[in-house]
Amino acid sequence: MLTVSHLTKQIDSTMIYENASFTLPAGTITALIGRNGAGKTTLLKTLVGALEPSRGKVEWNNQSIHDVPAARKHLFLVPDSIGVYRQMTLGSLIEFYQAFYPNFERTYIENYCRSSNLDRGRKVTALSKGQAQLFLLQLAFATNAPVLLLDEPTDGLDRINKRNYLQQLVSLLTERQTAVLIASHQLEELDSLADRVMTIEQHLVKEPKTLDDAKASMQKWQVVYETVPELTHHDIHVLTQTGRVVTLLVLSDAGKLYLEKTNPLLKDALPVQMEDYFLGTFGGNRHD
Ligand SMILES: Nc1ncnc2c1ncn2[C@@H]1O[C@H](COP(=O)(O)OP(=O)(O)OP(=O)(O)O)[C@@H](O)[C@H]1O
């Protein structure tokens, strides 16, 4: 299992992210969410050994990813851009990763190239953004690595490829018991996919919570007023207001009490979605 302890990254004296401590259990999908620039990509790059941590460690079964390069064969990162692969041909990428990953399934990726009419001699730059992304995602499956780190995996995919890819991810994950960490802004997608959610809030990496626990930490209400009051409480986050109808998130018991005191005419509970969780966590007065 991948175990991360007190992982911290500073670049020049700027804190990028701090104190990441978590494990990635087999057969689970963990969503990593945070505002732009929160440090998600930097965290993924540190996990895979592409960046050195300032403090803390990443271990695969007690072997340090940073001190023992061979331990990295248990992880594969699909980056958020093809930058590092630009000048490589598909064939050379396949050779490169086959040499590194002991359970690499060459037939799998070759079949994919054939069925998608991708010539192995083509450079990654000669593919469209979506084609390159799909190729890397399939390459990730071909490595058979027990831990997959995916940075904005569905960015650039059309709806059909996105749906097919997500179905494939879930079935491969179940079959192989892969541990997956996905950094993404596609919150609706994460809602149906993730078992757990981990946030980076003001540089601090929080412990993963189950999706149910995360959603239960806030309540969503649709409230109707005679006259809508100013809802200024720290733990009330207004999502929308249409006339006298307000949809809001309540982030604490104090917020709940405050809401009661505003004497709404009607109050209906709504299910909390991942997008609400994001807005409640990052968009409320607490983070202003
Ligand atoms: N090589 C670098 N030198 C200096 N600062 C860097 C470097 N790489 C990243 N940063 C800074 O680290 C912070 C986090 O960047 P990162 O790309 O990890 O964020 P992110 O959460 O993935 O953002 P987004 O959601 O926009 O993709 C940013 O402020 C960025 O400017």
Side-chain angles (χ1 to χ4, degrees):
M1 182 153 71
L2 193 79
T3 307
V4 179
S5 319
H6 307 293
L7 202 70
T8 297
K9 181 70 182 172
Q10 280 176 269
I11 299 182
D12 301 327
S13 58
T14 305
M15 181 60 75
I16 308 295
Y17 66 81
E18 199 173 355
N19 209 24
S21 290
F22 59 92
T23 57
L24 291 181
T28 62
I29 297 184
T30 305
L32 175 62
I33 60 171
R35 300 290 306 271
N36 288 127
K40 301 179 293 297
T41 295
T42 312
L43 173 60
L44 295 187
K45 285 182 178 168
T46 325
L47 294 180
V48 83
L51 290 176
E52 283 294 318
S54 307
R55 280 194 298 284
K57 56 190 178 181
V58 182
E59 291 172 310
W60 172 262
N61 295 347
N62 299 322
Q63 272 192 328
S64 161
I65 296 294
H66 293 93
D67 298 342
V68 184
R72 295 178 200 169
K73 65 178 179 243
H74 301 289
L75 295 94
F76 187 86
L77 167 67
V78 176
D80 64 343
S81 84
I82 56 158
V84 286
Y85 301 119
R86 291 186 83 76
Q87 290 312 318
M88 293 179 81
T89 62
L90 306 189
S92 58
L93 260 172
I94 293 172
E95 305 287 339
F96 180 77
Y97 285 112
Q98 183 174 13
F100 191 64
Y101 289 93
N103 299 317
F104 193 86
E105 286 187 57
R106 189 170 183 124
T107 324
Y108 177 91
I109 191 70
E110 297 214 320
N111 285 345
Y112 174 75
C113 289
R114 204 168 305 116
S115 64
S116 308
N117 287 321
L118 295 177
D119 180 357
R120 289 167 36 95
R122 269 164 94 177
K123 282 192 176 172
V124 177
T125 40
L127 304 183
S128 75
K129 179 179 173 176
Q131 284 174 322
Q133 185 67 3
L134 275 172
F135 174 77
L136 291 179
L137 291 167
Q138 297 303 325
L139 193 65
F141 289 150
T143 65
N144 250 310
V147 180
L148 290 184
L149 308 174
L150 309 175
D151 199 352
E152 294 289 351
T154 56
D155 200 20
L157 302 193
D158 69 45
R159 289 204 80 82
I160 297 168
N161 278 329
K162 189 184 283 194
R163 192 195 54 196
N164 291 346
Y165 168 70
L166 293 174
Q167 283 172 354
Q168 196 186 5
L169 178 66
V170 171
S171 70
L172 278 180
L173 170 100
T174 313
E175 190 184 309
R176 297 177 180 176
Q177 288 296 295
T178 313
V180 180
L181 178 62
I182 305 182
S184 177
H185 294 293
Q186 306 300 319
L187 300 171
E188 207 183 303
E189 207 169 280
L190 294 176
D191 224 337
S192 54
L193 207 61
D195 305 292
R196 308 188 305 165
V197 57
M198 183 161 70
T199 55
I200 306 184
E201 300 174 37
Q202 296 178 330
H203 306 296
L204 266 180
V205 184
K206 301 289 178 103
E207 260 190 64
K209 291 180 185 167
T210 66
L211 221 54
D212 288 345
D213 283 352
K215 290 179 177 181
S217 69
M218 50 187 77
Q219 298 169 333
K220 185 176 180 179
W221 295 100
Q222 191 170 62
V223 190
V224 182
Y225 288 103
E226 179 81 47
T227 309
V228 178
E230 263 204 75
L231 294 161
T232 52
H233 194 277
H234 188 254
D235 288 338
I236 300 272
H237 180 75
V238 175
L239 296 169
T240 57
Q241 183 184 343
T242 312
R244 296 184 299 136
V245 183
V246 183
T247 306
L248 48 80
L249 294 170
V250 177
L251 307 177
S252 70
D253 286 344
K256 203 169 157 188
L257 215 63
Y258 173 87
L259 184 64
E260 291 304 333
K261 287 190 183 156
T262 60
N263 293 321
L265 297 175
L266 280 172
K267 194 164 138 266
D268 276 332
L270 299 175
V272 173
Q273 312 286 354
M274 191 70 153
E275 182 169 342
D276 303 318
Y277 182 68
F278 188 94
L279 291 170
T281 305
F282 301 107
N285 301 335
R286 294 161 170 196
H287 286 264
D288 285 349

